[in-house]
Amino acid sequence: MWLGTAVWIGGMLTVSVMFLLSGDDVVRAVVGALAAVAIVGFLSVAVIIGRSALRQEGVERSLHIESSALAFWITMGVAFSYMILQPVAQLPQAQPYMVVGLGAVSWALAHGARSEKYL
């Protein structure tokens, strides 16, 4: 898991710096390749965490599954509502980091709320 996280973070940092400094097509191709490596690193972390959650049994497994399901629906509900309201209320365009941040915060809140059920 740590190797995948290190690849993802290193890849994203490298992509960000190179994109800021890029000026020609060769650099953009390298940036694309590094972005692909970063995505593979992130997906490997997701697979490892998912497999780890499914290997657990009992309360821990239920807690992870319920937290993930609740966080998914919270994130999708807020994102969908924002998508509908954005043109009507002339809200700024939602950025991807906002959705990812909402997902992380909603999972943490859901995990805490579901933990109370089992304690």
Side-chain angles (χ1 to χ4, degrees):
M1 178 167 84
W2 294 109
L3 179 60
T5 303
V7 168
W8 178 63
I9 291 172
M12 294 309 291
L13 289 174
T14 304
V15 166
S16 299
V17 169
M18 289 188 70
F19 188 73
L20 291 173
L21 301 176
S22 69
D24 57 0
D25 292 334
V26 174
V27 175
R28 290 199 182 269
V30 172
V31 168
L34 290 173
V37 169
I39 290 169
V40 168
F42 180 77
L43 291 176
S44 68
V45 169
V47 167
I48 291 169
I49 290 172
R51 289 181 66 197
S52 172
L54 292 177
R55 282 190 194 141
Q56 296 176 350
E57 294 186 20
V59 174
E60 292 85 11
R61 183 176 183 163
S62 296
L63 179 61
H64 282 292
I65 291 171
E66 290 174 15
S67 300
S68 297
L70 189 56
F72 172 80
W73 288 111
I74 290 170
T75 304
M76 291 302 104
V78 171
F80 185 68
S81 299
Y82 192 88
M83 179 185 73
I84 291 172
L85 291 174
Q86 189 261 332
V88 174
Q90 297 179 353
L91 299 171
Q93 185 71 28
Q95 299 298 316
Y97 69 86
M98 296 166 74
V99 178
V100 171
L102 172 65
V105 169
S106 63
W107 189 88
L109 293 174
H111 192 272
R114 300 311 295 169
S115 294
E116 291 293 321
K117 174 184 174 185
Y118 294 110
L119 293 179

